[in-house]
Amino acid sequence: MAIVSTSPTSFSHLYGTHHSWLLGLLRRRLSNRWDAADLAHDTFIRVLKRPPEAADALRERSYLATIARGLCIDHWRRRQLEQAWLQTLAARPEALQPSPEQRAIIVETLYEVDAMLARLPRKVSEAFLLAQLQGMPYKQIATQLGVCERMVKKYLAQALLHCAVLEAELDGLLVE
């Protein structure tokens, strides 16, 4: 696969030609002009990192829409996680509420864990969630997933390894 670099002129042209169109698309999808503006910005940041090959306006829009669609999905997933976290917090006494800084750190960590789980095979992430969130024993997880207990142990070891790598990344110990 050949890497094609986008010159500043061609990026400026791409941005100038399609920014308003993309912003309108995202506004309709998100029903929020601020989120739409953020995601349009993020879309063009991604384009800078991975420029499209030379193409006509239709292909450029398709490329931008594909990136924006993925960012929308991430945005909605993040919102669901945040809402679930806020509902959990609402059930706690005020004395046990975390500070705004702690909340932000917790929400960001939830996003990272969710993204890590999304990269794992389905049964691995499902076993991890059943064990960690529902406290199910291995035997019950094995029955639910239709595998032997040994596989559940392997799944959980794989998930915990990914958690350790994520923790090292978050602590800045690993460099990509």
Side-chain angles (χ1 to χ4, degrees), residues 120-140:
L120 293 174
R122 185 189 59 78
K123 284 190 177 185
V124 174
S125 62
E126 199 171 331
F128 179 79
L129 292 172
L130 291 172
Q132 297 300 315
L133 298 182
Q134 296 182 17
M136 281 188 180
Y138 289 6
K139 189 172 190 165
Q140 196 175 355

Side-chain angles (χ1 to χ4, degrees), residues 76-146:
W76 291 322
R77 178 181 280 157
R78 288 173 77 108
R79 283 280 160 92
Q80 284 179 322
L81 278 171
E82 191 168 356
Q83 286 305 312
W85 168 243
L86 291 174
Q87 287 173 354
T88 301
L89 280 181
R92 297 178 79 183
E94 192 165 327
L96 298 176
Q97 295 288 327
S99 70
E101 296 83 11
Q102 290 171 322
R103 282 183 183 200
I105 291 169
I106 291 167
V107 168
E108 190 58 39
T109 302
L110 285 172
Y111 298 151
E112 295 294 335
V113 170
D114 181 59
M116 181 269 305
L117 289 172
R119 291 188 301 263
L120 293 174
R122 185 189 59 78
K123 284 190 177 185
V124 174
S125 62
E126 199 171 331
F128 179 79
L129 292 172
L130 291 172
Q132 297 300 315
L133 298 182
Q134 296 182 17
M136 281 188 180
Y138 289 6
K139 189 172 190 165
Q140 196 175 355
I141 295 169
T143 302
Q144 184 158 337
L145 296 179

Side-chain angles (χ1 to χ4, degrees), residues 43-68:
T43 299
F44 283 103
I45 294 296
R46 294 247 175 121
V47 169
L48 277 173
K49 291 179 180 178
R50 181 177 252 166
E53 294 185 19
D56 57 29
L58 183 61
R59 287 193 184 143
E60 289 172 347
R61 283 190 176 188
S62 176
Y63 184 68
L64 292 170
T66 299
I67 294 171

Side-chain angles (χ1 to χ4, degrees), residues 140-152:
Q140 196 175 355
I141 295 169
T143 302
Q144 184 158 337
L145 296 179
V147 297
C148 64
E149 280 186 66
R150 198 169 118 244
M151 283 308 298
V152 171

Side-chain angles (χ1 to χ4, degrees), residues 6-82:
T6 299
S7 69
T9 304
S10 62
F11 178 80
S12 296
H13 175 73
L14 182 72
Y15 185 88
T17 304
H18 302 295
H19 182 265
S20 295
W21 167 81
L22 181 62
L23 191 56
L25 175 78
L26 289 167
R27 272 192 200 142
R28 287 187 300 280
R29 223 174 238 174
L30 299 169
S31 301
N32 179 313
R33 68 183 181 142
W34 304 112
D35 288 341
D38 285 345
L39 291 187
H41 176 265
D42 291 349
T43 299
F44 283 103
I45 294 296
R46 294 247 175 121
V47 169
L48 277 173
K49 291 179 180 178
R50 181 177 252 166
E53 294 185 19
D56 57 29
L58 183 61
R59 287 193 184 143
E60 289 172 347
R61 283 190 176 188
S62 176
Y63 184 68
L64 292 170
T66 299
I67 294 171
R69 188 176 313 112
L71 290 171
C72 283
I73 291 168
D74 291 346
H75 174 78
W76 291 322
R77 178 181 280 157
R78 288 173 77 108
R79 283 280 160 92
Q80 284 179 322
L81 278 171
E82 191 168 356

